[in-house]
Amino acid sequence: MKTSDPHPIDPQRRIVTVAVALPVRETFSYSVPVHLADQIGVGKRVLVPFGRRRITGYLIGDGSSDRQMDVKHVLDILDDRPLFPAGMIPFFEWIATYYMHPLGQVIATALPAGLNLADVAILSITPSGQKAIGAAQLTPLEERVLPALDKRPTDLRQLQQAVGQPIARALIHQMQRRGWVQVERRIRARPVRPKTVRWVTLSGAGPLTTPLSKPRRVIRQILETEGDLSLANLQARRPGAPALVRAMERDGQVGIFEKAVYRDPFGDPIEPDAPPALTVEQTAAMQTLAPMLGQGFQSVLLAGVTGSGKTEIYLRLTQAALEKGIQVVVLVPEIALISQTERRFRARFGQTVAVLHSGLSPGQRYDQWCRITDGQAPIAIGARSCIFAPFENVGLIIVDEEHDTAYKQEGGLSYNARDLAVVRARHHDALVVLGSATPSVQSWHNTTTGKYATVALTRRINRRPLPAIRTVDLALCRDERGIHRYITPQLRQQIRQTLDDGNQVLIFLNRRGFSAFTICADCRQPIRCKNCDITLTLHQRANALRCHYCGFSRAAVGSCPACGSDNLRLMGVGTEKIEAAMAELFPDARVARMDRDTMTRKGATVKLLKDLKHRRIDILVGTQMVAKGHDFPGITLVGVICADLTLNFPDFRAGERTFQLLAQVAGRAGRGAQPGQVILQTFNPAHFSILAAKHQDFLAFYNQEIGFRKALGYPPFTR
Ligand code: ADP
Ligand code: ZN
Ligand code: ZN
């Protein structure tokens, strides 16, 4: 963004509109005192009085002058430069209206965390309060409050902790009236500021008046040949440099200055890559897409089977955008995936990429944010919140894996980043490309109504075949007990073969709702709902089996509705147990697990993916985290432990989720030179979602699903 911001605020009038980060519908007008007038700018935060508090607000434009008489003053302007460009305000306003969320809170959600200030009341004792200590007329509570305040000023919460009981505000007011305590409102800031490091520069390039000592000559020489250096760098070359440099600064031989640095969230150096020659299909896709850049609003669904080279299209399109001076936002589902796509963008575009996702520290996020507002990074890539990347005028928005539910933000401002991508594109007259191998029913529906254009990639790169998918009926697998019955002979044999061939195996188990259910030991059927034919889930506390779909409930003990046997057995299976079973069955294999439990530590995901890539893992067991967009050529076998799990979800999208998850996880197989195999174990081999996944046939799935949706009045036929 340019520093000469085109904000519409008239400094003569000095009335501004402020959106406060509070649950209020309106925006407010404030006047700007003369001493702050030259700092006004849309997109900056301001400190304003609001009732009895002082709060943060966002400057969003001109104020109305008719109320000029009674408006309050802006107390402070908190930013030297705007945090977001004026061009984003219509987008924020649209969100506020559509999601019925206060504008100031929309903006607060959009900004990187850690920027908001809180206002607290600080209580302190007065001299007459000090005198009152020990006086007879004090209540017991006052007798404890005053000495506590005498020790040090504090806020109400700390005071309550100090005296060990709640304190009514009325008591504080009373003590205030008596002149014993003072209340002062202070701002508690947890500000995130640009990180700076100290740099050293030579000053006085002319001839030296006094000869330098040898150590100083060394420093001078380094700076002469290398130019300005950070103090840390200098210290590395010449231990003891900081003390020397300080002395040299005093003598006017060098200058020390602060230089802003960006905290680099990327651990690894990334090798630059060269773009491959496009395939025929990719070329055709680019011929459709590239001319759309800069030609106004357009939504395109890029439907391409897994491994068909969609990411390469994103990269090429981004390249074409940059050549036209167009700014680009790339959304990817979540952190486990971002390392991959981010890496490919970084390999292609280097430092011009800013990364915004929740894996960054607040400081890192703020830095990345500033690289965008400073105009250093014309590309922003990140998880859902990256839709708020502060570009004045984004011209291309790419949503990778547009079907992914991780784009939904729940709680606070609830939004779907994929939908916002289309909205923002409309506001900026931009091109939005939604890519997926398994498009959402909603998006495909939009192509049938003409709302979205489509571009298809139907073949894998290098004509690699799609993996061969075999279903194995879990109900027919009778001879194994416990966990091992979930590793059918077919799967076991195929794992053995794959390991012997020196390839890698991915085992997928969506543990949710699967950790406990009951199965009949005689007929081997899981206990199903009598209404919905869905496997019942054990609710331990109630000791009941419950249908997550219709709410039907029955006792956990009893007899099998299918065969009458009362030999019911609790099946508890999760990634952890499968991992242990794998290690036991294949002692020669290196087994690892990827799920929310193992991936809590920062960097753990990246490390695991790296191990997988470098073939330090033979079998990876994981939840849906492993299903997403990874590209590991060594994986030739994907085993799905139980394909039915998501079918049990009490959601009209259960069928869609199942199809997507299975098609995606199957798509992880055979991305390298060797063809892939998928074994899909299921209790419902004839279910249309599972059949469609087996044939990787999105349209077959869609045509059946859309019929249901229409008949039952679900989205996309209702909102
Ligand atoms: P998708 O995003 O559709 O799953 P990718 O873009 O990850 O597919 O491509 C799959 C693999 O093919 C990647 O390893 C990628 O580097 C490679 N690839 C993509 N396009 C080409 C191309 N034109 N020539 C050679 N390899 C390609
Ligand atoms: Zn039975
Ligand atoms: Zn039911």
Side-chain angles (χ1 to χ4, degrees):
M1 230 196 70
K2 315 275 180 317
T3 37
S4 61
D5 58 29
H7 61 74
I9 293 170
D10 175 3
Q12 291 324 114
R13 200 141 45 101
R14 302 199 308 270
I15 296 281
V16 292
T17 301
V18 173
V20 295
L22 287 177
V24 289
R25 289 263 167 267
E26 318 87 335
T27 54
F28 298 90
S29 292
Y30 287 90
S31 69
V32 180
V34 178
H35 72 281
L36 294 176
D38 61 343
Q39 294 173 47
I40 300 174
V42 166
K44 290 185 179 183
R45 286 169 307 153
V46 290
L47 189 66
V48 291
F50 195 83
R52 302 183 51 247
R53 302 157 66 191
R54 295 185 291 176
I55 55 168
T56 309
Y58 306 98
L59 243 165
I60 58 164
D62 270 336
S64 48
S65 51
D66 49 327
R67 290 193 297 163
Q68 201 160 348
M69 295 310 293
D70 56 346
V71 295
K72 292 181 184 164
H73 280 315
V74 167
L75 300 171
D76 201 358
I77 293 182
L78 300 173
D79 297 299
D80 299 334
R81 53 185 179 181
L83 290 173
F84 56 87
M88 286 185 78
I89 291 173
F91 179 53
F92 291 145
E93 285 171 340
W94 186 93
I95 295 170
T97 308
Y98 185 81
Y99 291 106
M100 293 187 286
H101 203 75
L103 181 60
Q105 291 188 329
V106 169
I107 297 174
T109 307
L111 296 180
L115 284 176
N116 291 316
L117 303 174
D119 180 39
V120 288
I122 300 292
L123 313 175
S124 56
I125 195 162
T126 62
S128 60
Q130 282 166 328
K131 270 187 224 138
I133 294 177
Q137 79 273 31
L138 290 186
T139 67
L141 185 54
E142 286 168 344
E143 264 172 10
R144 280 158 54 212
V145 166
L146 287 176
L149 287 179
D150 196 26
K151 266 191 225 142
R152 61 189 173 87
T154 160
D155 67 20
L156 188 59
R157 207 166 42 90
Q158 290 167 328
L159 185 62
Q160 288 174 342
Q161 269 165 10
V163 303
Q165 72 176 88
I167 301 168
R169 275 173 202 277
L171 178 70
I172 304 292
H173 291 315
Q174 199 179 25
M175 295 199 293
Q176 228 180 326
R177 272 198 306 274
R178 289 187 186 155
W180 292 345
V181 304
Q182 257 176 347
V183 181
E184 189 199 345
R185 301 198 80 85
R186 261 187 229 164
I187 298 301
R188 174 174 295 161
R190 281 176 297 124
V192 180
R193 301 201 176 286
K195 183 179 174 182
T196 58
V197 295
R198 279 189 287 174
W199 277 59
V200 185
T201 184
L202 275 181
S203 46
L208 294 166
T209 46
T210 48
L212 288 178
S213 68
K214 180 148 181 279
R216 290 191 183 196
R217 272 209 310 277
V218 173
I219 298 282
R220 190 184 161 89
Q221 222 160 32
I222 296 175
L223 291 173
E224 261 170 1
T225 50
E226 310 229 352
D228 299 350
L229 284 177
S230 72
L231 200 53
N233 199 334
L234 210 50
Q235 159 82 358
R237 312 280 178 94
R238 173 70 179 75
L244 268 171
V245 163
R246 267 192 298 278
M248 291 173 78
E249 187 196 23
R250 266 199 311 276
D251 297 344
Q253 293 155 350
V254 299
I256 297 180
F257 63 99
E258 298 282 329
K259 193 165 169 169
V261 291
Y262 298 111
R263 284 156 271 213
D264 191 345
F266 320 106
D268 269 6
I270 294 170
E271 303 287 314
D273 83 332
L278 294 183
T279 63
V280 174
E281 265 194 339
Q282 284 174 323
T283 306
M286 280 304 292
Q287 277 166 355
T288 309
L289 291 168
M292 291 177 175
L293 284 168
Q295 297 299 311
F297 171 60
Q298 173 72 56
S299 318
V300 182
L301 183 68
L302 175 62
V305 297
T306 52
S308 59
K310 292 185 291 297
T311 311
E312 187 59 37
I313 298 289
Y314 305 150
L315 292 165
R316 292 296 180 109
L317 207 50
T318 299
Q319 180 65 45
L322 294 185
E323 281 160 14
K324 291 187 172 179
I326 286 173
Q327 298 164 331
V328 184
V329 167
V330 184
L331 301 186
V332 292
E334 59 190 34
I335 311 163
L337 175 66
I338 199 168
S339 51
Q340 182 105 336
T341 309
E342 163 197 312
R343 186 168 293 271
R344 286 172 72 177
F345 268 82
R346 287 257 301 165
R348 191 72 54 91
F349 301 109
Q351 283 297 338
T352 53
V353 181
V355 178
L356 295 170
H357 61 64
S358 55
L360 305 181
S361 71
Q364 288 172 330
R365 239 193 286 189
Y366 178 69
D367 289 343
Q368 295 291 318
W369 188 269
C370 292
R371 294 186 58 226
I372 299 171
T373 54
D374 290 355
Q376 296 184 15
I379 306 170
I381 182 167
R384 59 184 174 234
S385 65
C386 186
I387 192 55
F388 298 114
F391 290 118
E392 174 79 42
N393 206 353
V394 62
L396 171 63
I397 305 180
I398 292 166
V399 184
D400 190 20
E401 312 287 358
E402 64 88 25
H403 64 277
D404 202 295
T405 50
Y407 285 124
K408 278 198 195 136
Q409 159 80 37
E410 314 274 356
L413 173 64
S414 300
Y415 62 89
N416 185 326
R418 181 239 308 166
D419 299 342
L420 287 188
V422 177
V423 172
R424 191 165 182 196
R426 207 170 54 215
H427 274 105
H428 293 290
D429 284 329
L431 171 64
V432 56
V433 176
L434 310 175
S436 179
T438 54
S440 61
V441 168
Q442 176 74 59
S443 293
W444 191 266
H445 182 70
N446 286 340
T447 70
T448 64
T449 62
K451 225 170 138 186
Y452 294 176
T454 37
V455 171
L457 297 174
T458 59
R459 283 188 297 275
R460 281 191 158 184
I461 295 296
N462 295 335
R463 301 187 180 274
R464 273 166 208 152
L466 279 167
I469 303 182
R470 190 150 45 114
T471 45
V472 173
D473 191 342
L474 273 174
L476 298 181
C477 176
R478 291 156 183 272
D479 39 2
E480 295 278 356
R481 308 192 129 212
I483 292 302
H484 287 180
R485 75 173 254 106
Y486 283 97
I487 303 164
T488 61
Q490 292 95 320
L491 178 59
R492 196 165 160 175
Q493 197 185 333
Q494 203 59 51
I495 293 174
R496 184 72 266 160
Q497 183 68 47
T498 305
L499 294 175
D500 291 347
D501 292 345
N503 291 321
Q504 293 169 295
V505 179
L506 187 67
I507 299 292
F508 172 71
L509 171 65
N510 193 346
R511 197 173 46 161
R512 240 184 92 192
F514 194 42
S515 43
F517 71 97
T518 301
I519 196 151
C520 169
D522 289 324
C523 76
R524 296 287 178 177
Q525 290 286 332
I527 308 303
R528 296 171 199 262
C529 175
K530 61 177 184 183
N531 307 321
C532 315
D533 205 34
I534 277 170
T535 306
L536 298 177
T537 304
L538 179 74
H539 285 242
Q540 209 111 35
R541 226 181 299 156
N543 199 28
L545 297 171
R546 225 167 254 167
C547 172
H548 280 179
Y549 203 83
C550 73
F552 168 78
S553 168
R554 59 158 279 173
V557 292
S559 57
C560 168
C563 76
S565 158
D566 51 11
N567 194 6
L568 299 188
R569 186 169 296 161
L570 181 68
M571 303 303 298
V573 64
T575 42
E576 206 176 333
K577 287 186 177 173
I578 294 288
E579 179 195 21
M582 287 293 162
E584 189 190 317
L585 291 171
F586 307 102
D588 55 324
R590 293 160 297 180
V591 182
R593 174 161 60 99
M594 181 177 187
D595 55 28
R596 225 166 265 160
D597 298 336
T598 60
M599 293 298 115
T600 48
R601 229 166 7 95
K602 212 179 155 196
T605 309
V606 175
K607 180 182 179 309
L608 189 135
L609 293 176
K610 225 186 279 174
D611 284 348
L612 194 62
K613 182 172 174 194
H614 295 117
R615 306 217 179 188
R616 292 190 288 260
I617 294 172
D618 300 309
I619 304 179
L620 179 66
V621 179
T623 54
Q624 64 257 46
M625 276 180 125
V626 305
K628 302 201 169 156
H630 306 298
D631 186 20
F632 297 110
I635 294 177
T636 59
L637 174 64
V638 169
V640 177
I641 294 293
C642 182
D644 323 58
L645 300 174
T646 44
L647 285 179
N648 296 350
F649 289 179
D651 182 338
F652 71 89
R653 288 195 180 86
E656 182 178 357
R657 289 279 298 130
T658 303
F659 168 74
Q660 286 166 350
L661 212 47
L662 294 177
Q664 289 288 342
V665 75
R668 298 312 113 215
R671 295 173 71 92
Q674 306 216 34
Q677 293 243 16
V678 179
I679 293 190
L680 230 165
Q681 305 185 140
T682 172
F683 287 111
N684 299 293
H687 191 284
F688 78 92
S689 297
I690 289 176
L691 281 177
K694 177 178 173 178
H695 300 298
Q696 296 261 306
D697 189 347
F698 169 73
L699 276 182
F701 166 76
Y702 175 82
N703 288 330
Q704 187 139 6
E705 177 74 13
I706 200 75
F708 288 144
R709 298 274 181 100
K710 192 163 193 174
L712 298 173
Y714 284 134
F717 298 100
T718 51
R719 198 189 131 189

